[in-house]
Amino acid sequence: MRHPLVIGNWKLNGSKHMVNDFIVALRNKLSSVVGCDVVIAPPVAYLDMAKRHLDGSCIALGAQNVDTHFSGAFTGEVSAEMLKDIGVKYIIIGHSDRRTLHKESDDIIAEKFFVSKTVGLVPVLCIGESKTEKEVGQTEDVCVHQIDAILNRMGAKAFENTVIAYEPIWAIGTGKSATPAEAQAVHKFIRGYIAKHDESIAEQVIIQYGGSVNTINAAELFTQPDIDGFLVGSASLIVDSFVMIVKIASSSK
Ligand code: PGA
């Protein structure tokens, strides 16, 4: 049985003050909520501080990026081992911000996935099509291409105990989420594609939806059989909204 998972991707937002207040409130408001794994992914500068505030809670820590190298002359980078060392559990890989703004190729993303798995972090592989690709009917091709980068590097077993986040680029930060039916169709396709390589892994891989998830659309999205949770951006910065989305994903389908 797949366990629901909600991750808050803070992107380039936050402060010491926010980390403190947010985590105190989150722990308090989620103290009686079970049935959904919860992760927050603040900027790297606050990971260690966030970890200390999360100690003793069930809320896990995620990071937003990792380098492909383990150590060496790579100024400005952070390695998977370092993230693991400070208590990070999940690592967001292949977010469209990184694919577009930082020109990360599928090969680089596959390497990041590989180093993360090697040290025991849980990769959250973001995939999804642009508006133009959607308009010309390339959604499935784009997802296949982005999943193949991992399959070709590591095989289907790579997806054991990992997460895929389907995030159509046109839905990210636009306030225009995919409809539940649209999202379900793509999630089903993704699971089916993994099943062609390994059925049991396809059955257990968590497939999150991301892209303008909020307190209004989360419930209907979550009713869809192949939507196992959410990768939440802007709504994850407001503690009450994030808590409400977690509560929705904690309810049985
Ligand atoms: P959004 O961001 O919820 O603000 O659309 C989602 C994401 O980029 O992960």
Side-chain angles (χ1 to χ4, degrees), residues 178-245:
T179 65
E182 271 174 337
Q184 166 57 24
V186 183
H187 281 230
K188 188 172 175 213
F189 172 79
I190 293 167
R191 201 178 301 287
Y193 185 67
I194 306 261
K196 282 189 193 158
H197 297 82
D198 190 314
E199 271 183 38
S200 68
I201 287 186
E203 210 27 61
Q204 59 88 55
V205 71
I206 292 172
I207 309 182
Q208 295 182 307
Y209 170 78
S212 296
V213 174
N214 58 37
T215 54
I216 295 161
N217 59 27
E220 209 187 329
L221 284 161
F222 193 64
T223 59
Q224 304 301 312
D226 287 292
I227 297 184
D228 304 321
F230 303 111
L231 180 55
V232 188
S234 40
S236 77
L237 298 170
I238 303 157
V239 75
D240 284 337
S241 306
F242 189 60
V243 165
M244 193 177 287
I245 293 167

Side-chain angles (χ1 to χ4, degrees), residues 37-231:
D37 289 333
V38 181
V39 179
I40 58 166
V44 67
Y46 301 119
L47 285 174
D48 189 44
M49 180 189 176
K51 179 63 192 162
R52 279 181 276 117
H53 281 74
L54 290 172
D55 265 351
S57 80
C58 295
I59 303 159
L61 192 61
Q64 301 173 19
N65 187 30
V66 65
D67 191 41
T68 54
H69 303 93
F70 287 113
S71 63
F74 303 102
T75 303
E77 298 297 346
V78 176
S79 77
E81 275 168 338
M82 291 170 188
L83 294 174
K84 176 90 178 166
D85 195 29
I86 61 165
V88 167
K89 184 166 177 202
Y90 292 84
I91 173 79
I92 299 170
I93 285 172
H95 191 280
S96 69
D97 289 343
R98 303 230 38 109
R99 290 183 191 266
T100 50
L101 302 175
H102 298 271
K103 310 275 179 287
E104 284 188 12
S105 65
D106 282 324
D107 286 348
I108 288 176
I109 291 160
E111 202 56 28
K112 291 186 173 193
F113 194 104
F114 173 75
V115 296
S116 301
K117 281 229 90 170
T118 303
V119 305
L121 294 172
V122 179
V124 179
L125 177 73
C126 301
I127 62 173
E129 81 287 2
S130 67
K131 185 164 180 284
T132 319
E133 287 162 342
K134 175 181 163 62
E135 281 164 3
V136 297
Q138 286 177 347
T139 298
E140 293 183 355
D141 291 348
V142 170
C143 291
V144 163
H145 191 78
Q146 293 174 338
I147 291 171
D148 277 351
I150 309 300
L151 291 173
N152 295 339
R153 175 73 174 80
M154 298 175 68
K157 287 269 181 279
F159 286 105
E160 194 164 17
N161 300 322
T162 59
V163 182
I164 296 174
Y166 170 58
E167 295 208 305
I169 298 170
W170 48 269
I172 297 175
T174 58
K176 195 184 173 309
S177 148
T179 65
E182 271 174 337
Q184 166 57 24
V186 183
H187 281 230
K188 188 172 175 213
F189 172 79
I190 293 167
R191 201 178 301 287
Y193 185 67
I194 306 261
K196 282 189 193 158
H197 297 82
D198 190 314
E199 271 183 38
S200 68
I201 287 186
E203 210 27 61
Q204 59 88 55
V205 71
I206 292 172
I207 309 182
Q208 295 182 307
Y209 170 78
S212 296
V213 174
N214 58 37
T215 54
I216 295 161
N217 59 27
E220 209 187 329
L221 284 161
F222 193 64
T223 59
Q224 304 301 312
D226 287 292
I227 297 184
D228 304 321
F230 303 111
L231 180 55

